[in-house]
Amino acid sequence: MTFNPLQEKGIPLEKQCRNWSELNIRPYDKASVHPYSRCRGIVMNGIEVEAVMFSHQMARNTLDPEIRKQLSLMRRIEAQQQKVMNWLIPGDESTLEVTLGYEQVAVDLTAWIAQHEPDPYLRQVYEFGLLEDFDHLYRYANLYQMLEGHKADEITDRLTEIMPGRPTLFEHRDPRDEIRRPMTALAADPQSVMNALTVMSAEQQTMNFYMNIGNRPQEPLARATYLEIAQIEEQHVSHYESILDPTVGWFENLVLHQYHECWMYHSFMQDEVDPRVKAVYELHLAMEIEHLHVACEMMRKVEKRDPEAFLPREMGESIVFRENKAFIRDVLARQVDLTSKDSDFVPIDELPADDRYFAWNRAVNDGWNPTEEIIARARADGGEYRLETEGPHPVPGLRREDARDDATTAYARRRAS
């Protein structure tokens, strides 16, 4: 069924304010929630956070007091929506359990996006980041078993495999090699714009989450692990935000953000299995349709531009959470040894010995690496945790029986050479 939010009627903005009882939504039951229902909620929390923060930045760069008032009104509603999505997470879900949900989002969301990206370069951008978040899930899964005595598939089910990706140890790159080639929004496929906003917002939310909760664990190794992976999430935000068109103005960006929210809520309400949460998505979609209309009218008034000139006439394929095991295994087999150089992706072995990648990596990993320590301890305590439902790891050197030398040892050998 085709859907064009520009042709739909939303809830009038003045009727969108909700009271505390409506906002203080009953959280899901962590024992029975479907993993992808959890994932959808995490994503929409990140989408709403991006909407709020973008609106604040636009307001700080806007002189017209009437525009600032209109932004403030919409932003307050977006903030209410964000609270609803975030408040779905129950208080009895531990920080590590929430973290496993975040990383399952990063894996399966990015995998779907990569498979639905029409631009070959942008597809490579997503595949590159995918293997790093895939490894984060593996590290946190082993930390979860070590500290809480549970297996990660109690959170993720068997929907997502858990095994090494590109080892986190090797993900630490010089920041100047984290900037990608931007798209040209007017020439890009609308799907590319929606994809970029989705993954950037989700990674930004993960970055924000780790920035704020990474110091909550008491166990030193857990604190160190969040510290390390939080740095990679900041890299990922740089990685993904740099593919957006930097020449797009404030009002066009505002319209694109509101259109993007409509696409996300419309997509997720199609697959949501919890009727109560599905009703939230339907309500928020009706609100976002009105936000889009308001943003379009602001653009027409201030810039004398018609948003319909750059917005698609109908929304593309709905974004879906689903298994991506075969796809991820294929990307692992082809790309696990890649790093980035400027805006390109190259095998690490092709870099000269004096490349800045090695200098930065040596500086941060000097003497110790937390995510490798997790696996070393897990092996010493009886075995690392993996969930390999489709057979042995596609990369021989990362198979359980072949992983006699951990990545730290391999890295030490590289440094010595």
Side-chain angles (χ1 to χ4, degrees), residues 156-169:
T156 62
D157 204 354
R158 298 175 67 83
L159 298 168
T160 309
E161 290 195 284
I162 299 174
M163 56 187 178
R166 179 178 300 118
T168 302
L169 173 79

Side-chain angles (χ1 to χ4, degrees), residues 30 94 97 100 140-155 385:
K30 76 171 189 175
S94 72
E97 289 170 335
L100 291 170
Y140 281 124
N142 277 274
L143 186 65
Y144 181 53
Q145 178 173 259
M146 183 187 309
L147 298 185
E148 300 190 19
H150 293 283
K151 296 187 182 301
D153 57 276
E154 296 175 22
I155 304 297
Y385 171 81

